[in-house]
């Protein structure tokens, strides 16, 4: 699952970029060159006092102390001709250097704590939504996830693909809200889905179980308004077809040849309203042909807009994107994200894509 390549390069606790570490050295070399190129009447030495504070941004206490010492030597030794500092000036620079060393020490301790917290947060998020394997049973699959909240791996979207006694089942959903506030609901739905894959013989029963999970979680909470849209897919082991249940979610797209078609699945109510178990979810069945692929997405894809306010036309652009990656679900998911990013400059909402290639199901089910 491709989720990390858009991370910012300099997060708290991460090593600073190389240019930040090189900045004190560049400053020192630049001042030395400027000193040689200007008359001695021009005073540039006081700029050296900036070296220790700048070094504190990129180096630890020891490295900052070295820059502080170099600064004092250059100002105090007349042969360097970089400054004509008096005793009072040297005391001031020494004080600034000492404060810079303290700042560097505190920053390193804070960064170490942030690294630990971030590592635990990433482990917890990956436990909620682990990377998809390249193949689940006979179905090849690839997922792509982009959380709207910067620096997080999981938001309000979800997907999973699991194999059970009734075939391979997939879930793509979008819970109310996004960011870390929605992660608890995502975890609850995924847990219920993984149990249902093993226990419920019908896809409608899976939808009813997810609905009950959200209803139970919101019971007793005033104005909870806890709901989610979702689409469920099932690839039975004994037939070249897919069964679909849509709970208020954007329809899946069937890639067949040079066309991308929205699958006609009668939507039922979103999950969490207590209606899925009462009315019964409508199960649509679509027969699959050779080289068919399915792309399931959340509304963060189709509701992304360009500068003129035009929505991203996924169904129109998908055939051209898929032609180049006919046998690689992961590359297709990445191509859609790149195209979406160019069109809309990214996405303001959580984005989830799931590409499913059930060719092995057809090969196993249809005698040659």
């Amino acid at each position: 699952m491709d989720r990390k390549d858009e991370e910012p390069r300099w997060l708290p606790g991460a090593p600073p970029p190389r240019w930040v570490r090189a900045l004190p050295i560049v400053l020192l070399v630049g001042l030395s060159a400027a000193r040689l190129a200007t008359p001695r009447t021009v005073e540039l030495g006081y700029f050296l006092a900036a070296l220790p504070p700048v070094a504190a941004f990129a180096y630890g206490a020891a490295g900052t102390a070295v820059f502080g010492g170099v600064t004092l030597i250059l100002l105090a030794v007349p042969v360097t001709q970089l400054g004509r500092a008096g005793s009072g000036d040297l005391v001031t620079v020494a004080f600034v250097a000492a404060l810079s060393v303290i700042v560097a020490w505190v920053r390193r301790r804070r960064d170490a704590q942030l690294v630990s917290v971030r590592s635990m947060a990433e482990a917890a998020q990956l436990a909620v939504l682990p990377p998809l394997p390249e193949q689940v049973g006979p179905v090849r699959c690839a997922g792509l996830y982009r959380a709207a909240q910067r620096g997080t791996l999981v938001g309000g979207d979800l997907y999973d693909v699991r194999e059970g006694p009734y075939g391979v089942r997939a879930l793509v959903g979008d819970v109310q809200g996004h960011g870390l506030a929605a992660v608890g609901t995502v975890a609850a739905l995924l847990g219920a889905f993984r149990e249902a894959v093993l226990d419920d013989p019908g896809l409608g029963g899976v939808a009813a179980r997810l609905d009950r999970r959200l209803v139970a979680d919101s019971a007793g909470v005033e104005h909870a308004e806890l709901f989610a849209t979702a689409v469920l897919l099932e690839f039975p082991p004994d037939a070249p077809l897919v069964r679909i249940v849509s709970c208020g979610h954007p329809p899946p797209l069937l890639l067949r040849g040079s066309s991308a078609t929205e699958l006609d699945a009668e939507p039922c109510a979103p999950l969490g309203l207590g209606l899925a178990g009462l009315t019964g979810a409508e199960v649509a069945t679509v027969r699959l042909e050779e080289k068919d692929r399915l792309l399931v997405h959340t509304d963060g894809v189709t509701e992304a807009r360009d500068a003129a306010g035009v929505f991203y036309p996924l169904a129109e652009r998908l055939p051209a994107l898929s032609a180049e990656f006919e046998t690689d679900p992961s590359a297709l998911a990445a191509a859609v994200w790149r195209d979406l990013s160019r069109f809309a400059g990214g996405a303001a909402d959580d984005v989830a894509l799931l590409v499913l290639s059930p060719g092995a199901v057809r090969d196993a089910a249809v005698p040659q």
Side-chain angles (χ1 to χ4, degrees):
M1 176 171 49
D2 183 7
R3 290 190 291 190
K4 285 191 171 183
D5 58 351
E6 297 296 322
E7 291 278 349
R9 292 187 179 182
W10 193 13
L11 291 168
R18 291 182 179 179
W19 67 266
V20 177
R21 295 182 63 84
L23 189 58
I25 300 174
V26 172
L27 181 60
L28 177 59
V29 174
L31 286 173
S32 301
R35 172 70 276 176
L36 295 175
T38 57
R40 295 191 62 182
T41 55
V42 179
E43 178 60 56
L44 297 176
Y46 57 85
F47 284 111
L48 288 171
L51 278 178
V54 171
F57 282 103
Y59 293 86
T64 304
V66 169
F67 278 101
V70 170
T71 301
L72 289 172
I73 292 173
L74 291 175
L75 289 174
V77 178
V79 72
T80 62
Q81 298 184 352
L82 289 179
R84 297 186 296 275
S87 59
D89 296 329
L90 291 175
V91 170
T92 301
V93 173
F95 180 71
V96 171
L99 287 180
S100 300
V101 170
I102 295 173
V103 169
W105 179 77
V106 172
R107 182 188 60 80
R108 277 291 177 91
R109 281 181 59 92
R110 183 209 61 180
D111 286 353
Q113 292 172 344
L114 289 174
V115 167
S116 177
V117 171
R118 179 174 173 81
S119 298
M120 290 187 290
E122 288 185 352
Q125 292 177 77
L126 290 173
V128 171
L129 193 65
L132 287 178
E134 293 184 359
Q135 185 161 328
V136 178
V139 178
R140 294 184 64 199
C141 54
L144 184 142
Y145 200 110
R146 294 290 182 272
Q149 186 169 330
R150 192 175 181 86
T152 62
L153 302 179
V154 180
D157 289 356
L158 64 141
Y159 57 67
D160 200 4
V161 183
R162 298 277 166 160
E163 185 177 22
Y166 310 104
V168 176
R169 287 171 171 173
L171 164 69
V172 176
D174 183 359
V175 309
Q176 179 196 28
H178 61 268
L180 293 177
V183 173
T185 306
V186 168
L189 281 175
L190 288 173
F193 171 73
R194 291 160 186 166
E195 291 182 2
V197 166
L198 302 175
D199 298 336
D200 290 298
L203 205 56
V206 177
R209 182 187 289 244
L210 300 181
D211 182 61
R212 289 196 305 272
R213 177 70 271 163
L214 292 188
V215 170
D217 288 348
S218 60
V221 180
E222 187 176 2
H223 307 302
E225 297 182 357
L226 184 61
F227 65 90
T229 66
V231 63
L232 294 157
L233 299 96
E234 178 182 85
F235 301 93
D238 55 353
L241 55 86
V242 59
R243 299 188 182 103
I244 306 166
V245 167
S246 175
C247 301
H249 198 81
L253 291 168
L254 174 64
L255 293 170
R256 177 175 292 172
S258 60
S259 66
T261 308
E262 291 187 351
L263 293 181
D264 187 15
E266 185 68 27
C268 64
L271 303 172
L273 303 181
L275 301 177
L278 297 176
T279 61
E282 184 74 21
V283 180
T285 301
V286 177
R287 293 195 67 82
L288 298 173
E289 298 180 2
E290 187 178 0
K291 296 184 179 179
D292 280 354
R293 289 164 294 164
L294 296 166
L295 187 143
V296 195
H297 61 90
T298 57
D299 59 11
V301 177
T302 50
E303 292 183 359
R305 305 188 191 202
D306 64 8
V310 178
F311 289 108
Y312 177 65
L314 175 62
E316 297 176 14
R317 300 168 80 103
L318 192 55
L321 295 172
S322 65
E324 185 178 353
F325 306 106
E326 191 171 304
T327 60
D328 191 343
S330 180
L332 175 57
V336 173
W337 171 250
R338 289 194 300 269
D339 188 59
L340 173 63
S341 299
R342 286 192 295 265
F343 180 88
D349 196 3
D350 298 324
V351 167
L353 291 169
L354 183 62
V355 181
L356 301 166
S357 180
V361 172
R362 298 187 296 274
D363 296 341
V366 180
Q368 301 296 321

